[in-house]
Amino acid sequence: MIAAVTRTVAAAGAALVSLDSVVNIAFPAMSTTFAVPAERMRWVIICYVFTYALTALAGGAVADRVGHARVFRAGVGLSAVAFALGGLAPTFETFLGARVVQGLAGGLIYGTAPGLVTVSAPPAARGRALGVLNAAMGLALAGGPLVSGVLVEAVGWRSIFYGRVPLAALTLALALGVRVERAPTSPRWPAPRDVLRGAVLRPGVLAFCANAGIFAVWLLVPFYLVTVRGLDAAAGGVLFMLTPLGTAVAAPAAGRLADRVGPWPLVVSGLAVEAAGLALLGGADAQTPLPALAAILFAAGLGLGIFQVPNMAAAMAAFGTAQQGTAGGVIFFARTLGTVFGVGTLAQLFAERRLTVGTAAFNECFHAAAVGVALAAALGILWARRRA
């Protein structure tokens, strides 16, 4: 019972962080408010995710020593402050500062949530526990664009920050009731040799590639839906939510299956499906029927969902029980470094190619992302064969 409550609270905290998907569909409105071009909106993502990449790694290691619940609560409380700062920001520069604070908070949550669910689960059931965690994150990612689209149209984009303050307060209230015992041994601080092992680097590299690719959707699809397809924020939010919805749908089943057959078949399959979705998105144009576009966006997210949980389970299995916080921090560090790389690279490619080919720059970026994820799938096949 205690373990179930702990997993529920961890899922609620991770969902609170993942609900930041409300920001993406609001990019066009924010760009107008702050009078900045579309490509500068990359800094809204980079300031946030790069900060939580570093914080997740450090926060997970600290949590192994002082307790996962304690660090988790600190992250939730700081999130409430960051949301308020984001809503109040008068300039683009102060808004980016609020995003850094939000990244600090999100990293503390993301760095401890996997450890909270795996410390209380036997090794044979870790995939299922992580599946629930990733499903909660996926549902929040999916619901965010839909809620955001409605709020942006009706109230304005600042409401997507103000509205999350009470959610953070509620999550903190729930987290105050969580008591998680630390590992029975006193863990040492992680050394480079703990991380620079094949069993850790392999899932880390693949997580980097998968998240770098999927952020072609997170960064560019909101602008694609508005500028190329002519949709408003509400309608765009409905379509945009299908990618994280696909992730949420796949995650629980992928976790259960990984406990039975091992992670690698699912890791490779998920990357292949994600690459196919991105490639099809690269072939879409203004005449592509919206139902077909919806299916493509869903498929890209489905592939990521098939991939993420088994890949995370493989990374967590590479560390002992006393270092599950470190394990969670490492995999989120790899994910978010991939996000930063993908956002920075794709935004630059889009900015340069848009001057030459116009809206076809969207298609070129989606194709580039597909190639990167396909190469990761090929690496996954190679590594799986070596392990066999």
Side-chain angles (χ1 to χ4, degrees):
M1 181 63 179
I2 294 176
V5 172
T6 300
R7 287 195 291 268
T8 300
V9 173
L16 178 70
V17 180
S18 299
L19 195 57
D20 199 65
S21 59
V22 295
V23 170
N24 297 72
I25 202 65
F27 279 167
M30 292 177 185
S31 178
T32 300
T33 297
F34 293 122
V36 297
E39 55 268 21
R40 281 199 68 193
M41 296 306 292
R42 79 181 96 172
W43 293 106
V44 176
I45 297 177
I46 291 174
C47 286
Y48 173 57
V49 299
F50 186 68
T51 304
Y52 84 60
L54 299 177
T55 311
L57 185 60
V62 171
D64 285 332
R65 301 183 68 86
V66 306
H68 298 87
R70 188 176 298 171
V71 177
F72 179 86
R73 291 185 202 118
V76 175
L78 188 58
S79 291
V81 175
F83 296 148
L85 292 174
L88 292 168
T91 66
F92 189 61
E93 289 71 24
T94 54
F95 180 67
L96 294 182
R99 293 290 283 175
V100 170
V101 176
Q102 189 182 339
L104 290 171
L108 295 179
I109 296 172
Y110 270 167
T112 52
L116 281 172
V117 301
T118 56
V119 164
S120 58
R126 282 179 179 170
R128 182 177 302 179
L130 290 169
V132 173
L133 179 69
N134 280 265
M137 293 165 59
L139 287 173
L141 287 168
L146 182 61
V147 173
S148 176
V150 174
L151 288 176
V152 169
E153 289 293 320
V155 185
W157 66 264
R158 294 183 187 276
S159 62
I160 66 179
F161 287 90
Y162 294 138
R164 284 183 284 172
V165 174
L167 293 178
L170 176 60
T171 304
L172 180 59
L174 295 173
L176 290 174
V178 173
R179 296 289 184 272
V180 178
E181 294 182 359
R182 282 184 285 164
T185 60
S186 178
R188 56 180 171 79
W189 290 105
R193 66 176 179 275
D194 296 322
V195 177
L196 301 177
R197 294 179 286 136
V200 179
L201 290 177
R202 283 189 289 268
V205 168
L206 297 182
F208 178 96
C209 295
N211 283 271
I214 205 64
F215 261 78
V217 175
W218 288 105
L219 176 66
L220 297 176
V221 163
F223 289 100
Y224 169 80
L225 294 174
V226 173
T227 60
V228 177
R229 303 309 302 256
L231 302 177
D232 60 24
V238 173
L239 278 177
F240 185 66
M241 70 175 285
L242 292 172
T243 295
L245 181 62
T247 301
V249 168
R256 289 193 296 270
L257 195 56
D259 287 335
R260 297 179 183 176
V261 304
W264 286 100
L266 295 165
V267 164
V268 172
S269 299
L271 289 170
V273 173
E274 180 188 347
L278 290 169
L280 290 171
L281 190 58
D285 57 27
Q287 284 70 50
T288 302
L290 288 181
L293 183 61
I296 291 170
L297 290 170
F298 183 83
L302 189 75
L304 185 67
I306 295 170
F307 160 81
Q308 262 185 350
V309 177
N311 191 67
M312 179 181 280
M316 302 294 282
F319 291 86
T321 302
Q323 289 188 308
Q324 288 298 287
T326 300
V330 165
I331 199 63
F332 272 109
F333 178 72
R335 282 190 187 187
T336 48
L337 280 186
T339 297
V340 171
F341 177 82
V343 169
T345 302
L346 293 169
Q348 188 62 37
L349 175 62
F350 178 77
E352 293 178 0
R353 294 298 294 161
R354 184 180 60 174
L355 299 175
T356 304
V357 300
T359 58
F362 286 108
N363 303 83
E364 293 185 3
C365 288
F366 296 142
H367 277 136
V371 169
V373 177
L375 290 174
L379 274 178
I381 292 172
L382 177 64
W383 288 335
R385 288 180 174 175
R386 284 184 177 180
R387 289 177 63 85

